Amino acid sequence: MDEKLKIKLSIADRVYPLTVDLSQEEGLRSASKKIDIMIKQFEENYAVRDKQDVLAMCALQFASQLEQKQIDKSIDNVETNERLKKINDLLAKYLDK
């Protein structure tokens, strides 16, 4: 059983107290930092009216990155399966000789 840890994360100038598994702390802190970095980039590069707009853009950015990785992984899996099938066919031909 993982040990629980109480942490406070700051995102967009708000503090969020959380109780998390010890194994999750590093990932959550890293994600929090990346969100704040992205917020600053959006605020510097675009005319932003409020934090909700910036947070929505951050959410969209992270979600699209995740989706793209899944699409890329799916494509890689298809290509890998095609290569394995070709190798399997070659081996089958070789063994039949």
Side-chain angles (χ1 to χ4, degrees):
M1 189 164 146
D2 282 335
E3 184 180 335
K4 296 291 184 181
L5 183 65
K6 291 185 179 190
I7 63 173
K8 291 181 181 180
L9 295 179
S10 175
I11 301 172
D13 301 325
R14 285 194 181 181
V15 175
Y16 297 91
L18 300 171
T19 301
V20 300
D21 291 335
L22 186 60
S23 62
Q24 294 177 307
E25 180 189 13
E26 183 178 355
L28 287 168
R29 290 193 187 279
S30 176
S32 171
K33 287 178 186 175
K34 287 181 181 180
I35 291 168
D36 277 335
I37 290 169
M38 191 176 289
I39 286 170
K40 287 177 185 169
Q41 289 173 343
F42 279 122
E43 288 176 335
E44 289 172 1
N45 295 318
Y46 302 100
V48 179
R49 286 184 237 156
D50 63 26
K51 289 285 186 193
Q52 185 170 342
D53 291 338
V54 177
L55 289 170
M57 293 305 297
C58 288
L60 179 62
Q61 183 78 19
F62 282 116
S64 67
Q65 289 172 358
L66 178 62
E67 288 298 318
Q68 189 60 50
K69 284 181 183 179
Q70 290 175 343
I71 290 167
D72 293 346
K73 183 178 179 182
S74 176
I75 291 169
D76 288 345
N77 284 343
V78 169
E79 291 173 355
T80 300
N81 286 337
E82 289 173 3
R83 289 181 189 147
L84 288 173
K85 186 179 179 322
K86 287 179 183 178
I87 291 170
N88 193 37
D89 291 345
L90 288 172
L91 287 172
K93 286 179 186 178
Y94 178 76
L95 293 174
D96 287 341
K97 289 184 180 179

